[in-house]
Coordinates of all heavy atoms in Angstrom, one line a residue:
M184 N 98.5 51.3 104.1 CA 99.9 51.1 104.5 C 100.8 50.9 103.3 O 100.4 50.3 102.3 CB 100.0 49.8 105.4 CG 99.3 50.0 106.7 SD 99.5 48.7 108.0 CE 100.2 47.3 107.2
K185 N 102.0 51.4 103.4 CA 103.0 51.2 102.3 C 103.4 49.7 102.3 O 103.6 49.1 103.3 CB 104.2 52.1 102.5 CG 104.0 53.5 102.1 CD 105.3 54.2 102.2 CE 105.2 55.6 101.6 NZ 106.5 56.3 101.7
S186 N 103.6 49.2 101.1 CA 104.0 47.8 101.0 C 105.6 47.8 101.0 O 106.2 48.7 100.5 CB 103.5 47.2 99.7 OG 104.0 47.9 98.6
G187 N 106.1 46.7 101.6 CA 107.5 46.5 101.6 C 108.3 47.2 102.7 O 109.5 47.0 102.8
I188 N 107.6 48.0 103.6 CA 108.4 48.6 104.7 C 108.1 48.0 106.1 O 108.7 48.3 107.0 CB 108.1 50.1 104.7 CG1 106.6 50.4 105.1 CG2 108.5 50.8 103.5 CD1 106.4 51.9 105.4
H189 N 107.1 47.1 106.2 CA 106.7 46.6 107.4 C 107.3 45.2 107.6 O 107.3 44.4 106.6 CB 105.2 46.5 107.6 CG 104.5 47.9 107.5 ND1 104.6 48.8 108.5 CD2 103.9 48.5 106.5 CE1 104.0 49.9 108.2 NE2 103.5 49.7 106.9
P190 N 107.6 44.8 108.8 CA 108.2 43.4 109.0 C 107.0 42.4 108.9 O 105.9 42.7 109.0 CB 108.7 43.4 110.5 CG 108.0 44.6 111.1 CD 107.6 45.5 110.1
A191 N 107.5 41.2 108.6 CA 106.5 40.1 108.4 C 105.8 39.8 109.7 O 106.5 39.7 110.8 CB 107.2 38.8 107.9
Y192 N 104.5 39.6 109.7 CA 103.7 39.4 110.9 C 103.1 38.0 110.8 O 102.3 37.7 109.9 CB 102.6 40.4 111.0 CG 101.7 40.4 112.2 CD1 102.2 40.7 113.5 CD2 100.4 40.0 112.1 CE1 101.4 40.6 114.6 CE2 99.6 39.9 113.2 CZ 100.1 40.3 114.4 OH 99.3 40.2 115.5
G193 N 103.5 37.0 111.6 CA 103.0 35.7 111.5 C 103.0 34.9 112.8 O 103.4 35.5 113.9
P194 N 102.6 33.7 112.8 CA 102.5 32.9 114.0 C 103.9 32.6 114.6 O 104.9 32.2 113.9 CB 101.8 31.6 113.6 CG 102.0 31.5 112.1 CD 102.2 32.9 111.6
V195 N 104.0 32.7 115.9 CA 105.3 32.4 116.6 C 104.9 31.8 118.0 O 103.9 32.1 118.6 CB 106.0 33.7 116.9 CG1 107.3 33.5 117.7 CG2 106.4 34.5 115.6
V196 N 105.7 30.8 118.4 CA 105.5 30.2 119.7 C 106.5 30.9 120.7 O 107.7 30.9 120.5 CB 105.7 28.7 119.7 CG1 105.7 28.1 121.1 CG2 104.8 28.0 118.7
F197 N 105.9 31.4 121.8 CA 106.7 31.9 122.9 C 106.7 30.9 124.0 O 105.6 30.4 124.5 CB 106.1 33.3 123.4 CG 106.3 34.4 122.5 CD1 105.4 34.7 121.5 CD2 107.5 35.1 122.5 CE1 105.5 35.8 120.6 CE2 107.7 36.2 121.7 CZ 106.7 36.5 120.7
R198 N 107.9 30.6 124.6 CA 108.0 29.6 125.7 C 108.6 30.3 126.9 O 109.7 30.9 126.8 CB 108.9 28.4 125.2 CG 109.0 27.4 126.3 CD 109.7 26.1 125.9 NE 111.0 26.4 125.3 CZ 111.7 25.6 124.5 NH1 111.2 24.4 124.3 NH2 112.8 25.9 124.1
D199 N 107.9 30.2 128.0 CA 108.4 30.8 129.3 C 109.4 29.9 129.8 O 109.2 28.7 130.2 CB 107.2 30.9 130.2 CG 107.5 31.6 131.5 OD1 108.7 31.8 131.8 OD2 106.6 31.9 132.2
S200 N 110.7 30.3 130.0 CA 111.7 29.5 130.5 C 111.6 29.2 132.0 O 112.1 28.2 132.5 CB 113.1 30.1 130.2 OG 113.2 31.4 130.8
A201 N 110.9 30.1 132.7 CA 110.7 29.9 134.2 C 109.7 28.7 134.5 O 109.9 27.9 135.4 CB 110.2 31.2 134.8
S202 N 108.6 28.7 133.7 CA 107.6 27.7 134.0 C 107.4 26.6 132.9 O 106.8 25.6 133.1 CB 106.2 28.4 134.1 OG 105.8 28.9 132.9
G203 N 108.0 26.8 131.8 CA 108.0 25.8 130.7 C 106.7 25.9 129.9 O 106.5 25.2 128.9
T204 N 105.8 26.9 130.2 CA 104.6 27.1 129.4 C 104.9 27.7 128.1 O 105.7 28.6 128.0 CB 103.6 28.0 130.2 OG1 103.5 27.5 131.5 CG2 102.3 28.1 129.6
A205 N 104.2 27.2 127.1 CA 104.4 27.7 125.7 C 103.0 28.2 125.2 O 102.0 27.6 125.5 CB 105.0 26.7 124.8
F206 N 103.0 29.2 124.4 CA 101.7 29.7 123.8 C 102.0 30.2 122.4 O 103.0 30.7 122.1 CB 101.0 30.7 124.6 CG 101.9 31.9 125.0 CD1 101.8 33.1 124.2 CD2 102.7 31.9 126.1 CE1 102.6 34.2 124.6 CE2 103.4 33.0 126.5 CZ 103.4 34.1 125.7
L207 N 101.0 30.0 121.5 CA 101.1 30.3 120.1 C 100.4 31.6 119.9 O 99.2 31.8 120.3 CB 100.5 29.2 119.2 CG 100.4 29.5 117.8 CD1 101.8 29.6 117.1 CD2 99.6 28.4 117.1
T208 N 101.0 32.6 119.3 CA 100.4 33.9 119.0 C 101.1 34.4 117.7 O 101.9 33.8 117.1 CB 100.6 34.9 120.2 OG1 99.9 36.0 119.9 CG2 102.1 35.2 120.4
R209 N 100.6 35.6 117.3 CA 101.2 36.2 116.1 C 102.1 37.3 116.6 O 101.9 38.1 117.5 CB 100.1 36.8 115.2 CG 99.3 35.6 114.7 CD 98.1 36.1 113.8 NE 98.5 37.0 112.8 CZ 98.8 36.7 111.5 NH1 98.7 35.4 111.2 NH2 99.2 37.6 110.6
S210 N 103.3 37.5 115.9 CA 104.3 38.5 116.2 C 105.1 38.8 115.0 O 105.1 38.0 114.0 CB 105.1 38.0 117.4 OG 106.1 38.9 117.7
T211 N 105.9 39.9 115.1 CA 106.9 40.2 114.1 C 108.3 39.6 114.5 O 109.2 39.7 113.7 CB 107.0 41.7 113.9 OG1 107.4 42.3 115.2 CG2 105.7 42.3 113.4
M212 N 108.4 39.0 115.7 CA 109.7 38.4 116.1 C 109.9 37.2 115.3 O 109.0 36.5 114.9 CB 109.6 38.1 117.6 CG 109.6 39.3 118.5 SD 109.9 38.9 120.2 CE 111.6 38.4 120.1
T213 N 111.2 36.9 115.0 CA 111.6 35.7 114.3 C 112.7 35.0 115.1 O 113.3 35.6 116.0 CB 112.2 36.1 112.9 OG1 113.3 36.9 113.1 CG2 111.1 36.7 112.1
S214 N 112.9 33.8 114.7 CA 114.0 33.0 115.4 C 114.4 31.9 114.5 O 113.7 31.4 113.6 CB 113.4 32.4 116.7 OG 114.3 31.5 117.3
E215 N 115.7 31.5 114.7 CA 116.2 30.4 113.9 C 115.7 29.1 114.4 O 115.6 28.1 113.7 CB 117.8 30.4 113.9 CG 118.4 31.7 113.3 CD 118.1 31.7 111.8 OE1 118.2 30.6 111.2 OE2 117.9 32.8 111.3
R216 N 115.4 29.0 115.7 CA 114.9 27.8 116.3 C 113.4 27.6 116.0 O 112.7 28.6 115.9 CB 115.1 27.9 117.8 CG 116.6 28.0 118.1 CD 116.9 28.1 119.6 NE 115.8 27.8 120.5 CZ 115.9 27.9 121.8 NH1 117.0 28.3 122.3 NH2 114.9 27.5 122.5
T217 N 113.0 26.4 115.9 CA 111.6 26.1 115.6 C 111.1 25.0 116.6 O 111.9 24.3 117.2 CB 111.4 25.6 114.1 OG1 112.2 24.4 114.0 CG2 111.8 26.6 113.1
I218 N 109.8 24.9 116.6 CA 109.2 23.9 117.5 C 107.9 23.3 116.7 O 107.2 24.0 116.0 CB 108.8 24.5 118.8 CG1 108.3 23.4 119.8 CG2 107.7 25.5 118.7 CD1 108.1 23.9 121.2
A219 N 107.7 22.0 116.9 CA 106.5 21.4 116.3 C 105.4 21.6 117.3 O 105.5 21.2 118.5 CB 106.7 19.9 116.1
W220 N 104.3 22.2 116.9 CA 103.2 22.6 117.7 C 102.1 21.5 117.7 O 102.2 20.6 116.9 CB 102.6 23.9 117.3 CG 101.7 24.6 118.3 CD1 100.3 24.8 118.1 CD2 102.0 25.0 119.6 NE1 99.8 25.4 119.2 CE2 100.8 25.5 120.2 CE3 103.1 25.0 120.4 CZ2 100.8 26.0 121.4 CZ3 103.1 25.6 121.6 CH2 101.9 26.1 122.2
E221 N 101.1 21.6 118.6 CA 100.1 20.6 118.7 C 99.3 20.3 117.5 O 98.7 19.2 117.3 CB 99.2 21.0 119.9 CG 99.9 21.1 121.2 CD 99.2 22.1 122.1 OE1 98.2 22.8 121.7 OE2 99.7 22.2 123.3
D222 N 99.2 21.3 116.6 CA 98.4 21.2 115.4 C 99.2 20.5 114.3 O 98.7 20.3 113.2 CB 97.9 22.5 114.9 CG 99.0 23.5 114.6 OD1 100.2 23.2 114.7 OD2 98.6 24.7 114.2
G223 N 100.5 20.1 114.5 CA 101.3 19.4 113.6 C 102.2 20.4 112.7 O 103.0 19.9 112.0
N224 N 102.0 21.7 112.8 CA 102.8 22.6 112.1 C 104.0 23.0 112.9 O 104.1 22.8 114.1 CB 102.0 23.9 111.8 CG 100.9 23.6 110.8 OD1 100.9 22.7 110.0 ND2 99.8 24.3 111.0
T225 N 105.0 23.5 112.2 CA 106.3 24.0 112.8 C 106.3 25.5 112.8 O 106.0 26.1 111.8 CB 107.5 23.4 112.0 OG1 107.4 22.0 112.0 CG2 108.8 23.8 112.7
Y226 N 106.6 26.1 114.0 CA 106.6 27.5 114.1 C 107.9 28.0 114.7 O 108.6 27.2 115.4 CB 105.5 27.9 115.0 CG 104.1 27.6 114.5 CD1 103.4 26.6 115.1 CD2 103.5 28.3 113.5 CE1 102.1 26.2 114.7 CE2 102.3 28.0 113.0 CZ 101.6 27.0 113.6 OH 100.3 26.6 113.2
P227 N 108.3 29.2 114.5 CA 109.5 29.8 115.1 C 109.3 29.8 116.6 O 108.2 30.0 117.1 CB 109.6 31.2 114.6 CG 108.8 31.2 113.4 CD 107.7 30.2 113.5
L228 N 110.4 29.5 117.4 CA 110.3 29.5 118.9 C 111.1 30.6 119.4 O 112.3 30.8 119.1 CB 110.9 28.2 119.4 CG 111.0 28.0 120.9 CD1 109.7 28.0 121.5 CD2 111.8 26.7 121.2
V229 N 110.5 31.4 120.3 CA 111.2 32.5 121.1 C 111.0 32.2 122.5 O 109.9 32.0 123.1 CB 110.5 33.9 120.7 CG1 111.2 35.0 121.5 CG2 110.6 34.1 119.2
D230 N 112.2 32.1 123.2 CA 112.2 31.8 124.7 C 112.2 33.2 125.4 O 112.9 34.1 125.1 CB 113.4 31.1 125.1 CG 113.3 29.6 124.7 OD1 112.2 29.0 124.9 OD2 114.3 29.0 124.3
V231 N 111.3 33.3 126.4 CA 111.2 34.5 127.2 C 111.5 34.1 128.7 O 111.2 33.0 129.1 CB 109.8 35.2 127.1 CG1 109.7 35.8 125.7 CG2 108.7 34.3 127.4
E232 N 112.0 35.0 129.4 CA 112.4 34.7 130.8 C 111.1 34.7 131.7 O 111.1 33.9 132.7 CB 113.3 35.8 131.4 CG 114.7 35.7 130.7 CD 115.7 36.6 131.3 OE1 115.4 37.1 132.5 OE2 116.7 36.9 130.7
I233 N 110.1 35.5 131.5 CA 109.0 35.6 132.3 C 107.7 35.9 131.5 O 107.8 36.7 130.5 CB 109.2 36.6 133.5 CG1 108.1 36.4 134.6 CG2 109.2 38.0 132.9 CD1 108.5 37.0 135.8
S234 N 106.6 35.4 131.8 CA 105.4 35.6 131.1 C 104.2 35.6 132.2 O 104.5 35.5 133.4 CB 105.1 34.6 130.0 OG 104.8 33.4 130.6
S235 N 103.0 35.7 131.7 CA 101.9 35.7 132.6 C 101.8 34.4 133.4 O 101.2 34.3 134.4 CB 100.6 36.0 131.9 OG 100.4 35.1 130.9
A236 N 102.4 33.4 132.8 CA 102.3 32.0 133.5 C 103.2 32.0 134.7 O 103.0 31.1 135.6 CB 102.7 30.9 132.5
S237 N 104.3 32.8 134.8 CA 105.2 32.7 135.9 C 105.3 34.1 136.7 O 106.0 34.1 137.7 CB 106.5 32.3 135.5 OG 107.1 33.2 134.6
H238 N 104.7 35.1 136.2 CA 104.9 36.4 136.9 C 104.1 36.4 138.2 O 102.9 36.0 138.2 CB 104.3 37.5 136.0 CG 104.7 38.9 136.4 ND1 104.0 39.6 137.4 CD2 105.7 39.7 136.0 CE1 104.6 40.7 137.6 NE2 105.7 40.9 136.8
P239 N 104.7 36.9 139.3 CA 104.0 36.9 140.6 C 102.6 37.6 140.6 O 101.7 37.2 141.3 CB 105.0 37.6 141.5 CG 106.3 37.4 140.9 CD 106.0 37.4 139.4
F240 N 102.5 38.7 139.9 CA 101.2 39.4 139.9 C 100.1 38.6 139.3 O 99.0 38.5 139.8 CB 101.4 40.7 139.1 CG 100.1 41.5 139.0 CD1 99.7 42.3 140.1 CD2 99.3 41.5 137.9 CE1 98.5 43.0 140.0 CE2 98.1 42.2 137.8 CZ 97.8 43.0 138.9
Y241 N 100.4 37.9 138.2 CA 99.3 37.1 137.5 C 99.1 35.8 138.2 O 98.0 35.2 138.1 CB 99.7 36.9 136.1 CG 99.7 38.2 135.3 CD1 100.9 38.7 134.9 CD2 98.6 38.9 135.0 CE1 100.9 39.9 134.2 CE2 98.6 40.1 134.4 CZ 99.8 40.6 133.9 OH 99.8 41.8 133.3
T242 N 100.1 35.2 138.9 CA 99.9 33.9 139.6 C 99.3 34.1 141.0 O 99.0 33.1 141.6 CB 101.2 33.2 139.6 OG1 102.2 34.0 140.4 CG2 101.8 32.8 138.3
G243 N 99.3 35.3 141.5 CA 98.7 35.5 142.8 C 99.7 35.3 143.9 O 99.3 35.3 145.1
T244 N 101.0 35.3 143.7 CA 102.0 35.1 144.7 C 102.7 36.4 145.0 O 103.7 36.4 145.7 CB 103.0 34.0 144.3 OG1 103.6 34.4 143.1 CG2 102.3 32.7 144.1
A245 N 102.2 37.5 144.6 CA 102.8 38.8 144.8 C 102.7 39.1 146.3 O 101.7 38.9 146.9 CB 102.2 39.9 144.0
R246 N 103.7 39.8 146.9 CA 103.7 40.2 148.3 C 103.2 41.6 148.4 O 103.5 42.4 147.5 CB 105.1 40.1 148.9 CG 105.6 38.7 148.9 CD 107.0 38.6 149.6 NE 107.9 39.3 148.7 CZ 109.1 39.7 149.1 NH1 109.5 39.6 150.3 NH2 109.9 40.3 148.2
V247 N 102.5 41.9 149.4 CA 101.9 43.2 149.7 C 102.8 43.8 150.7 O 103.1 43.3 151.8 CB 100.5 43.1 150.2 CG1 100.0 44.5 150.5 CG2 99.6 42.5 149.2
L248 N 103.3 45.0 150.5 CA 104.2 45.7 151.4 C 103.3 46.5 152.4 O 102.3 47.0 152.1 CB 105.1 46.8 150.7 CG 106.0 46.2 149.7 CD1 106.8 47.3 148.9 CD2 107.0 45.2 150.4
D249 N 103.8 46.5 153.7 CA 103.1 47.1 154.8 C 103.6 48.6 154.8 O 104.5 48.9 155.6 CB 103.4 46.4 156.1 CG 102.7 47.0 157.2 OD1 101.7 47.7 157.0 OD2 103.1 46.8 158.4
T250 N 102.9 49.5 154.1 CA 103.3 50.9 154.1 C 102.9 51.6 155.3 O 103.5 52.5 155.8 CB 102.8 51.6 152.8 OG1 101.4 51.5 152.8 CG2 103.4 51.0 151.6
A251 N 101.7 51.2 155.9 CA 101.2 51.8 157.1 C 102.2 51.6 158.3 O 102.5 52.5 159.1 CB 99.9 51.3 157.5
G252 N 102.8 50.5 158.4 CA 103.7 50.2 159.4 C 105.0 51.0 159.3 O 105.6 51.4 160.3
R253 N 105.4 51.3 158.1 CA 106.6 52.1 157.8 C 106.4 53.5 158.2 O 107.2 54.1 158.8 CB 107.0 52.0 156.4 CG 107.5 50.7 155.9 CD 107.9 50.7 154.5 NE 108.3 49.4 154.1 CZ 108.8 49.1 152.9 NH1 108.8 50.1 151.9 NH2 109.2 47.9 152.5
V254 N 105.2 54.0 157.9 CA 104.9 55.4 158.3 C 104.8 55.6 159.8 O 105.4 56.5 160.4 CB 103.5 55.9 157.7 CG1 103.1 57.2 158.2 CG2 103.7 55.9 156.2
E255 N 104.2 54.6 160.5 CA 104.1 54.7 162.0 C 105.5 54.6 162.6 O 105.8 55.3 163.6 CB 103.2 53.5 162.5 CG 101.8 53.8 162.1 CD 100.9 52.5 162.4 OE1 101.5 51.5 162.8 OE2 99.7 52.6 162.1
R256 N 106.4 53.7 162.1 CA 107.7 53.6 162.6 C 108.5 54.9 162.4 O 109.3 55.3 163.3 CB 108.4 52.4 161.9 CG 109.8 52.1 162.5 CD 110.4 50.8 162.0 NE 110.6 50.9 160.5 CZ 110.3 49.9 159.7 NH1 109.7 48.8 160.1 NH2 110.5 50.1 158.4
F257 N 108.3 55.5 161.2 CA 109.0 56.8 161.0 C 108.6 57.8 162.0 O 109.4 58.6 162.5 CB 108.7 57.2 159.5 CG 109.3 58.6 159.2 CD1 110.6 58.6 158.8 CD2 108.6 59.7 159.2 CE1 111.2 59.9 158.5 CE2 109.1 60.9 158.9 CZ 110.5 61.0 158.6
E258 N 107.2 57.9 162.2 CA 106.7 58.9 163.2 C 107.2 58.6 164.6 O 107.4 59.6 165.4 CB 105.2 58.9 163.1 CG 104.7 59.5 161.8 CD 103.2 59.5 161.7 OE1 102.5 58.9 162.6 OE2 102.7 60.1 160.8
R259 N 107.3 57.4 165.0 CA 107.9 57.0 166.3 C 109.3 57.5 166.4 O 109.7 58.0 167.5 CB 107.8 55.5 166.6 CG 106.5 55.1 167.2 CD 106.5 53.7 167.6 NE 106.3 52.9 166.3 CZ 106.8 51.8 166.0 NH1 107.6 51.2 166.9 NH2 106.6 51.2 164.9
R260 N 110.1 57.3 165.4 CA 111.5 57.6 165.4 C 111.7 59.1 165.4 O 112.5 59.7 166.2 CB 112.3 57.1 164.2 CG 112.5 55.6 164.3 CD 113.4 55.2 163.2 NE 113.6 53.7 163.2 CZ 114.1 53.0 162.2 NH1 114.4 53.6 161.0 NH2 114.2 51.7 162.3
Y261 N 111.1 59.8 164.6 CA 111.3 61.2 164.4 C 110.2 62.2 164.8 O 110.4 63.4 164.8 CB 111.6 61.5 162.9 CG 112.8 60.6 162.4 CD1 112.5 59.6 161.5 CD2 114.1 60.9 162.7 CE1 113.5 58.8 161.1 CE2 115.1 60.1 162.3 CZ 114.8 59.0 161.5 OH 115.9 58.3 161.0
G262 N 109.2 61.6 165.3 CA 108.1 62.4 165.9 C 107.2 63.0 164.8 O 107.7 63.4 163.7
A263 N 105.9 63.0 165.0 CA 105.0 63.7 164.0 C 105.1 65.2 164.2 O 104.9 65.7 165.3 CB 103.6 63.2 164.3
R264 N 105.3 65.8 163.1 CA 105.5 67.3 163.2 C 104.3 68.0 162.5 O 103.8 67.6 161.6 CB 106.7 67.7 162.5 CG 107.9 67.2 163.2 CD 109.2 67.7 162.6 NE 110.3 67.1 163.3 CZ 111.5 67.4 163.1 NH1 111.8 68.2 162.1 NH2 112.5 66.8 163.7

């Protein structure tokens, strides 16, 4: 890799604003805001609107659509051709 052309890659804390859950990972994102983490170090803080902690698919609260009922209703209205 060429030196000097890639962004800095370091530890960042992402905080889910929907659930309040925070997690420490590595990223190229930066922020002026910081947070003191559990290990005693200070890391840049990036707030995100949704993460796996609050997304309906990952939390198991996703709704399943009844596509079979829609097809049957369409066939009743317009007849099966």
Side-chain angles (χ1 to χ4, degrees):
M184 292 188 347
K185 283 187 169 181
S186 62
I188 64 168
H189 300 285
Y192 183 70
V195 178
V196 174
F197 287 93
R198 182 172 53 193
D199 185 350
S200 59
S202 67
T204 306
F206 55 94
L207 177 65
T208 186
R209 295 177 54 91
S210 177
T211 58
M212 292 190 71
T213 59
S214 175
E215 296 294 322
R216 298 175 18 182
T217 60
I218 188 170
W220 194 244
E221 299 151 355
D222 61 1
N224 294 327
T225 302
Y226 299 106
L228 174 66
V229 177
D230 284 320
V231 293
E232 291 184 19
I233 194 163
S234 70
S235 61
S237 63
H238 193 279
F240 179 78
Y241 296 108
T242 58
T244 59
R246 294 183 293 163
V247 177
L248 298 176
D249 181 21
T250 57
R253 291 181 182 183
V254 172
E255 291 168 359
R256 186 171 61 224
F257 178 82
E258 288 178 353
R259 270 186 285 147
R260 283 185 186 169
Y261 303 107
R264 295 184 184 182

